Amino acid sequence: MEIEEDYFYKHIDQMIINSYEVLTRKKEIEDIIEDLSIVPVFLFDPSNGYPEYNEDIYLLMIDHFEEHEEYEKCQELLYTMEEHKERKKK
C-alpha cells in the first residue's frame, strides 16, 4: 500500500503518534481506525495487524519525539523496541 508523497508529509505527525500508540500497546489498530477524529495512518501496514519488528520505524519515532522534547515517549519506545526485538528472536 503506497501513499502519495504530499499526503505522507501532511500526515507524518499523525502517522508517528498512531504508530507509537499501537507499538506501545496504548491503543489497538481498530480503535484508531474507528475513531473519526483521527486520521488512520501508520508507519506500517495496519492490514497485517501488529507489525513485525522494524528498528527503522522505532528510530524514526524516537528522533521525532526527541525533536519535540518528549523524552518519556523516547524512553518508552526504547524499552518497547528491545522487548519487540526479543520477541522476534523467539
Side-chain angles (χ1 to χ4, degrees):
M1 174 196 294
E2 289 191 33
I3 59 175
E4 292 184 28
E5 188 174 345
D6 60 332
Y7 185 86
F8 175 84
Y9 287 110
K10 181 177 179 184
H11 296 290
I12 187 68
D13 288 340
Q14 190 66 56
M15 286 179 190
I16 291 170
I17 292 166
N18 291 346
S19 299
Y20 165 81
E21 296 283 339
V22 170
L23 288 170
T24 58
R25 301 194 183 271
K26 295 183 183 305
K27 291 185 180 178
E28 296 289 326
I29 294 169
E30 295 79 20
D31 296 333
I32 293 170
I33 291 171
E34 292 172 1
D35 186 339
L36 300 178
S37 68
I38 299 173
V39 179
V41 289
F42 302 89
L43 295 172
F44 54 87
D45 184 353
S47 66
N48 295 328
Y50 191 83
E52 293 290 322
Y53 174 76
N54 183 325
E55 184 174 0
D56 292 336
I57 289 176
Y58 281 103
L59 296 177
L60 178 95
M61 291 188 296
I62 290 167
D63 286 344
H64 171 83
F65 289 124
E66 277 182 343
E67 287 178 18
H68 291 86
E69 298 182 4
E70 295 185 64
Y71 301 116
E72 287 107 11
K73 289 181 180 175
C74 296
Q75 184 63 38
E76 192 168 7
L77 284 166
L78 286 168
Y79 174 80
T80 304
M81 182 171 79
E82 286 304 312
E83 188 179 72
H84 200 167
K85 189 187 319 183
E86 288 301 315
R87 274 196 313 262
K88 179 184 175 186
K89 290 179 184 177
K90 294 179 181 182

